[in-house]
Amino acid sequence: MPTLRTTAQRLGTATALALFLTPLPLLAQDQDADQDASSAEDSASSQASSESVPLVPGTPTWDSFHGQLNAQKYSPLDQINADNVGDLEKAWEVHTGDVSDGSGDLPPTVWSATPVFANDTLYIGTPFYRILALDPATGEQKWSFDTESKLEALTQPALKSRGVAYWEADDPVEGESCQKIVYLGTMDAQLFAVDADTGEKCTSFADNGVLDVNQWNDTHAKWPLSLLQPPTVVGDHLILGWAGKDWEFEQAPPGTVFSINARTGEREWSFEALSEEMREKSGTANVWTHMSADEENGLVYLPISSPSPNYWGGNRTEEAPLATSTTALDVDTGEVVWSRQWVHHDVWDYDINAAPTLMDITVDGEEIPALIQATKQGFLFVVNRLTGEDVWPIEERPVPQGDGSVEGEEYADTQPFPTKPAPLLDQSEKPKIWGLADAVGGGQCSKLWDELTYEGMYTPPTTKGEGALAYPDSAGGVQWGGVAFDPASQTAIVNTSHIVQTIKLYDREAYEKADSGSGNESGFSPQTGSPYGMRLEVARNWLGMPCWEPPFGEVVALDMKTGDVKWRRPIGSSQQYGFFMPESWGSPTIGGPAVTAGNLVFIGASMDAKLRAYSLDSGEELWEDQAEAPAVANPAVYEYEGREYVAFIAGGNSILKDQVGDQVVVYALPEDEDE
């Protein structure tokens, strides 16, 4: 495995140099004093057993958030294919009852859980922090487990869950419980471990089946380390990040990642993305989304977010090379193997928000172990997953330096730009004003555009006028669904949103006068402790129509042998901004695609709450059905007793629209057709 020194030499950038010069405690984090020899032996055994693990599983697998640890979201199943998908019908559906629109005593729900198929069971985690074990053919409940967590929106504007994680022992002990475990985290930082067969708590895990992760929240503990994303399970390791409050504080809990023993709940190692000095002044740079892993090479890949506060960085002007990065760690030790920073001195909240997708690709006749990192900016960075080296050149280019209105700020001179694949949306100039919205608004959009600063990508926030135009928005050109990949054709599939927002900073006195509340990824936030509060708004006219030209969301297919686009098409129809829009205008999207050997792309993600299948070859829409709310999670594809199923969770997210659901809906071919 490469050393830090050889990695720095290989990358040859300022980021790599800063990484190499960073004190060792930042890079190779603390092993717990109470880790005994047997734990070390377990890790060594896990590493040895992982040496023959292929990147793409040899059998159909959908036992984690992205289907597989490689995050390809790929199934080799082809019973459902481009020729017969039009016959797809609802096999079963379940309504969990765990839903709230926020009108009563409970906060609203945001449900983004991917169904997990393992142990001949479909496991679901709900936003009321319950686990359901369902029969994969009928939806009949096998068992349920209630964490009895308080249903309070402690760190988020809603009750959130992205579901469960699954682990099973390589060497199960006959007659012993908890040889297969389902894990669910809660907003108050409790990780529950439940026997996958019975639904009973695993008493040998942590404290009678519950791990209090908040016990390690010892710096700027302004909120609990909310466990909204299920752990990434790599061998006998649970790799655990956490979520917190965006935009609230200058100083915040620093973004520690923990490796937990899957059997016992003991902490094995910890990783910090920020130096000790910066942790005292700042915080976050956490991992709030899923991670991916190359088990054969013993690497886990962290998509790391930005430091706090999000839109002013005068308190953290020194180098922070691991923030807003993809960082590869040795899964047994937590040591950094390589890291690439995708935003220097991030003051745009451009968190790396999706697990990188691992893939083997052929470029100019060379077989490359690669990964593709999608970003909020609509960039797709492609590097060698073992070394971090560019597959196609990634260039450092000069970026805007601000208008001088923000005191104490020091902007990065350059930012990384990929040369291939091309950006998913054009951020080089102000998006064109949508003539229809401008006309309906009586020139409102034109007036707003005149009041917004924009000098291209990475225009810094400002206190002047209506602020700076942000394109894409903070929710992301690409969200946590990430990139799907078909290894046979070497085709990548990614959905993207095209949304314009405005960012304005206010000094403390002006902020107190302007603050009128906030919503989900919008409104006012104080950045308490910093000199500036902020406002983030979608650029719309009085009727709620987007001020920028459609399409508002697309699905894009990329040939990963060349980095070129194979096809792209609008996805869905927008239903929030005043009226129903044609599907040719597309919809913003949350949630990602799944790809199958049947030459199909399955996806929900759109505002119109429809579920769709597209041709992998052409992008033609081949099937659709209506769900009760937007399906803002990746679908799952699995086989049970010879029949292929596609499962969606339709839970909704207020970033898209105020429509929530509690629907698990599963599709298959008619039984006489799938034989």
Side-chain angles (χ1 to χ4, degrees), residues 252-270:
T256 311
V257 171
F258 306 102
S259 177
I260 308 299
N261 184 280
R263 301 170 186 264
T264 67
E266 293 181 358
R267 186 172 60 162
E268 299 166 327
W269 50 259
S270 302

Side-chain angles (χ1 to χ4, degrees), residues 434-646:
W434 189 20
L436 178 60
D438 200 34
V440 170
Q444 187 178 6
C445 293
S446 295
K447 184 175 185 300
L448 176 61
W449 253 231
D450 289 342
E451 289 288 314
L452 290 171
T453 300
Y454 195 70
E455 302 175 75
M457 190 62 168
Y458 298 114
T459 298
T462 178
T463 63
K464 295 183 178 180
E466 287 296 317
L469 183 145
Y471 183 62
D473 71 321
S474 65
V478 181
Q479 252 292 347
W480 63 75
V483 178
F485 181 70
D486 170 42
S489 64
Q490 297 191 23
T491 301
I493 301 290
V494 60
N495 55 294
T496 179
S497 296
H498 302 188
I499 300 176
V500 174
Q501 284 184 317
T502 66
I503 302 171
K504 183 171 182 177
L505 296 182
Y506 297 81
D507 64 34
R508 295 264 60 104
E509 182 178 355
Y511 179 82
E512 294 304 322
K513 295 177 181 178
D515 180 13
S516 59
S518 63
N520 194 358
E521 295 285 334
S522 66
F524 287 81
S525 288
Q527 302 192 133
T528 301
S530 76
Y532 298 97
M534 48 78 63
R535 183 199 69 197
L536 189 69
E537 297 284 0
V538 176
R540 297 178 288 189
N541 68 12
W542 66 271
L543 188 59
M545 297 172 63
C547 280
W548 65 98
E549 286 187 343
F552 307 119
E554 295 180 291
V555 178
V556 184
L558 301 146
D559 183 342
M560 293 308 296
K561 298 185 290 292
T562 64
D564 296 329
V565 172
K566 295 179 70 171
W567 54 261
R568 64 191 306 158
R569 57 159 298 142
I571 176 176
S573 60
S574 299
Q575 295 184 339
Q576 184 181 27
Y577 302 124
F579 59 92
F580 294 85
M581 301 183 188
E583 288 195 11
S584 62
W585 294 353
S587 162
T589 64
I590 296 178
V595 179
T596 77
N599 285 328
L600 293 171
V601 178
F602 288 101
I603 189 169
S606 57
M607 292 175 70
D608 56 14
K610 287 186 178 180
L611 314 171
R612 292 178 169 86
Y614 297 108
S615 164
L616 177 63
D617 294 330
S618 67
E620 179 187 0
E621 184 178 312
L622 302 175
W623 169 85
E624 70 172 36
D625 196 28
Q626 185 71 50
E628 75 168 19
V632 292
N634 296 358
V637 182
Y638 64 91
E639 182 181 44
Y640 182 67
E641 295 184 342
R643 195 178 189 196
E644 180 182 350
Y645 297 86
V646 184

